[in-house]
């Protein structure tokens, strides 16, 4: 990629003004990107510029501002479509995020197809966003939720999968990269196996989309869900990708303005896709910011970006493993920039609070993946997660802080 920006962490960090601030008198070390990434100036500027110069409602006005806002909003859809190699921008439905995208598929695509006794398959490492909507659907329809097991390293038990596939399974939902374990799942292989039974596959891409190129066509899935705030964009905006024919065949799931062609008291007719799924005024500035985040991520050579994050991950893994009494939860062979761990009998919440006083932001808790915690027999973990702005020096600061915290609790 000859036009790609050189991957220089120093200059990348200058794009993120928040990284200059201090917390408790110490330079901020932000290791909570898996919860929500920080925003570069390019995204902050795009949102600011939208409100300063172009703000108006979309699709409805003949006046110039409305047309500008519409162009920016639809332009962002086109950027995202190209970013994930969709066939067209009509395959991108803007949602509030991954959670809403999964719920949309559950209620619009799957609900009308389910009979009592049908099965929905998810893995043991799902975020609650890819469990609870299906559980609710099971309650509504009499369908049954089945689980693909994981092993002690936090990898999918691929040998168990063929035995779980059958004509009863009406959808398989799988996380691309686990937010609790960092495991990168063999999504294309799972899709290939599911296809032999004509089972539609939904991929929760919330964690995968910021960590490297995603090609929805190459993966072979039917639905791909993502969140803007995990990929350096705004909160409250995300997307569902599905093929146009699939979206065409799905009924709308929320009614209101924008999603209709004609309304009478007797009957209403629906707009084309994707507008059919975007009832009401959308998060216009959010979409504009998401488009800017796509531009930002696209400015790097993905190979360099992935390799930088992998170097930080490997360095941090090695250093953490040297700490007495520290156990890493999730040791898959193929991992992205997430490390969950526990230390002796220090409760992760206590650890997180003390570490915060060193200026280091890490996440503690169940990470919205309680079944993962149950599998590993822990109530919670501490989790560090990396973005393109993190450095080895920041890892060193974490290791020092962990040593001093251990000393406090000894
Ligand atoms: N799936 C995974 C793997 C996640 O990490 C998250 C958020 O942490 C979600 C789904 C939910 O994303 P959102 O809250 O943006 O809808």
């Amino acid at each position: 990629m000859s036009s790609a920006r050189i991957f220089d962490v120093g200059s990348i960090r200058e794009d993120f003004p928040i990284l200059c601030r201090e917390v408790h008198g110490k330079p901020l070390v932000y290791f909570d990107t898996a919860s929500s990434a920080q925003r570069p100036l390019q995204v902050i500027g795009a949102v600011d510029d939208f409100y300063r110069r172009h703000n108006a409602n979309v699709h409805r006005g003949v006046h110039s501002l409305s047309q500008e806002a519409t162009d920016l909003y639809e332009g962002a859809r086109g950027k995202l479509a190209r970013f994930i190699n969709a066939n067209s921008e009509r395959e991108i439905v803007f949602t509030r995020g991954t959670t809403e995208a999964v719920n949309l598929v559950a209620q619009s695509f799957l609900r009308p197809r389910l009979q009592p006794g049908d099965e929905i398959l998810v893995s043991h490492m799902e975020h609650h966003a890819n469990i609870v909507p299906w559980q609710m659907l099971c309650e509504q329809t009499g369908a049954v939720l089945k689980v693909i097991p994981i092993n002690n390293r936090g990898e999918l038990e691929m040998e168990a999968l063929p035995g779980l596939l059958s004509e009863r399974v009406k959808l398989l939902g799988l996380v691309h990269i686990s937010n609790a374990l960092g495991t990168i799942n063999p999504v294309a292989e799972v899709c290939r196996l599911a296809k032999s039974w004509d089972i539609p596959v939904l991929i929760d891409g919330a964690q995968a989309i910021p960590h490297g190129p995603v090609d929805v066509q190459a993966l072979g899935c039917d639905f791909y869900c993502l969140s803007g705030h995990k990929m350096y964009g705004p909160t409250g905006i995300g997307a569902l990708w599905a093929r146009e024919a699939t979206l065409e065949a799905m009924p709308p799931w929320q009614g209101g303005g924008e999603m209709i062609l004609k309304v009478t008291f007797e009957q209403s007719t629906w707009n084309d896709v994707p507008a059919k799924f975007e009832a009401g005024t959308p998060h216009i500035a959010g979409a504009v910011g998401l488009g800017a985040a796509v531009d930002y991520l696209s400015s790097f050579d993905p190979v360099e970006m992935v390799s930088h994050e992998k170097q930080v991950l490997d360095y941090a893994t090695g250093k953490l493993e040297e700490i007495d009494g520290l156990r890493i939860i999730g040791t898959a062979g193929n991992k992205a920039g997430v490390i969950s761990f526990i230390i002796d009998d220090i409760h992760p919440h206590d650890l997180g609070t003390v570490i915060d006083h060193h200026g280091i932001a890490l996440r503690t808790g169940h990470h919205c993946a309680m079944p993962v915690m149950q599998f590993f027999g822990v109530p919670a973990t501490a989790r560090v997660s990396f973005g393109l702005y993190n450095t080895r020096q920041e890892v060193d600061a974490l290791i020092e802080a962990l040593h001093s915290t251990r000393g406090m609790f000894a």
Side-chain angles (χ1 to χ4, degrees):
M1 220 196 249
S2 55
S3 60
R5 173 177 166 183
I6 290 165
F7 197 93
D8 168 42
V9 184
S11 91
I12 289 169
R13 290 179 66 84
E14 285 171 16
D15 293 338
F16 292 84
I18 204 166
L19 297 179
C20 293
R21 67 161 285 186
E22 296 190 338
V23 170
H24 298 299
K26 307 268 171 45
L28 167 67
V29 172
Y30 191 72
F31 280 157
D32 198 19
T33 294
S35 292
S36 203
Q38 294 300 346
R39 321 302 187 240
L41 285 166
Q42 290 81 342
V43 169
I44 298 168
V47 174
D48 180 81
D49 185 62
F50 174 76
Y51 281 128
R52 281 177 195 275
R53 291 163 34 84
H54 308 289
N55 181 47
N57 210 332
V58 289
H59 299 145
R60 302 175 188 167
V62 290
H63 65 79
S64 297
L65 285 191
S66 176
Q67 286 172 12
E68 286 169 27
T70 302
D71 288 348
L72 285 165
Y73 179 72
E74 292 302 331
R77 197 193 303 277
K79 286 177 187 183
L80 188 57
R82 287 187 290 281
F83 189 59
I84 61 171
N85 194 30
N87 257 320
S88 92
E89 61 272 15
R90 287 188 300 281
E91 298 184 342
I92 303 289
V93 178
F94 280 129
T95 62
R96 283 191 297 130
T98 302
T99 304
E100 192 174 63
V102 177
N103 278 278
L104 195 169
V105 175
Q107 292 301 323
S108 169
F109 175 80
L110 200 53
R111 188 171 181 171
R113 291 160 187 251
L114 285 184
Q115 302 292 329
D118 283 344
E119 295 174 3
I120 302 168
L121 201 51
V122 296
S123 85
H124 205 121
M125 70 174 90
E126 298 308 313
H127 186 281
H128 298 162
N130 203 20
I131 300 175
V132 182
W134 309 121
Q135 271 175 338
M136 291 163 67
L137 196 53
C138 288
E139 274 180 25
Q140 289 157 352
T141 62
V144 184
L145 190 67
K146 293 276 171 100
V147 181
I148 311 168
I150 57 176
N151 65 25
N152 288 335
R153 293 185 300 280
E155 296 163 326
L156 269 191
E157 289 271 22
M158 286 299 282
E159 315 78 61
L161 183 56
L164 288 163
L165 301 176
S166 73
E167 65 285 336
R168 287 187 306 279
V169 180
K170 296 296 182 275
L171 185 129
L172 188 159
L174 179 66
V175 68
H176 195 161
I177 295 182
S178 158
N179 66 309
L181 302 167
T183 311
I184 304 177
N185 279 317
V187 165
E189 174 64 2
V190 171
C191 289
R192 199 184 58 74
L193 289 168
K195 284 299 126 180
S196 60
W197 288 93
D198 279 335
I199 298 168
V201 179
L202 174 142
I203 301 299
D204 168 353
Q207 294 297 336
I209 196 87
H211 292 298
V214 167
D215 179 335
V216 287
Q217 298 194 57
L219 289 178
C221 59
D222 298 276
F223 302 99
Y224 199 92
C225 309
L226 58 93
S227 298
H229 68 108
K230 310 275 191 200
M231 52 187 291
Y232 309 100
T235 48
I237 187 77
L240 168 70
W241 168 84
R243 284 179 202 86
E244 204 176 335
T246 308
L247 291 173
E248 295 279 10
M250 289 161 54
W253 79 307
Q254 291 179 339
E258 292 289 319
M259 50 74 72
I260 47 79
L261 280 182
K262 188 169 179 211
V263 177
T264 66
F265 280 115
E266 289 69 42
Q267 197 196 11
S268 300
T269 55
W270 315 138
N271 208 336
D272 295 333
V273 297
K276 182 170 79 172
F277 297 105
E278 293 180 7
T281 300
H283 185 6
I284 308 165
V288 173
L290 178 55
V294 167
D295 286 342
Y296 186 74
L297 279 171
S298 311
S299 71
F300 301 105
D301 177 344
V303 175
E304 282 183 9
M305 191 177 80
V306 172
S307 139
H308 168 75
E309 289 179 3
K310 178 93 177 74
Q311 278 172 32
V312 176
L313 170 70
D314 290 346
Y315 182 71
T317 305
K319 290 280 176 190
L320 287 169
E321 279 171 348
E322 287 169 9
I323 296 179
D324 278 346
L326 186 145
R327 176 181 158 213
I328 293 181
I329 306 285
T331 50
N334 195 10
K335 274 187 73 168
V338 170
I339 309 176
S340 267
F341 61 92
I342 49 174
I343 302 186
D344 288 335
D345 44 12
I346 308 177
H347 194 282
H349 287 312
D350 296 335
L351 187 74
T353 309
V354 177
I355 294 288
D356 178 58
H357 280 82
H358 292 260
I360 300 172
L362 53 72
R363 174 108 346 204
T364 58
H366 52 64
H367 317 294
C368 294
M370 284 189 187
V372 171
M373 302 298 125
Q374 287 149 14
F375 178 82
F376 285 98
V378 293
T381 68
R383 181 189 73 184
V384 289
S385 56
F386 311 116
L388 41 70
Y389 34 61
N390 289 123
T391 65
R392 285 169 177 233
Q393 290 79 359
E394 290 181 309
V395 172
D396 291 338
L398 169 72
I399 300 299
E400 213 182 300
L402 287 174
H403 277 300
S404 95
T405 309
R406 268 205 91 227
M408 280 174 60
F409 285 87

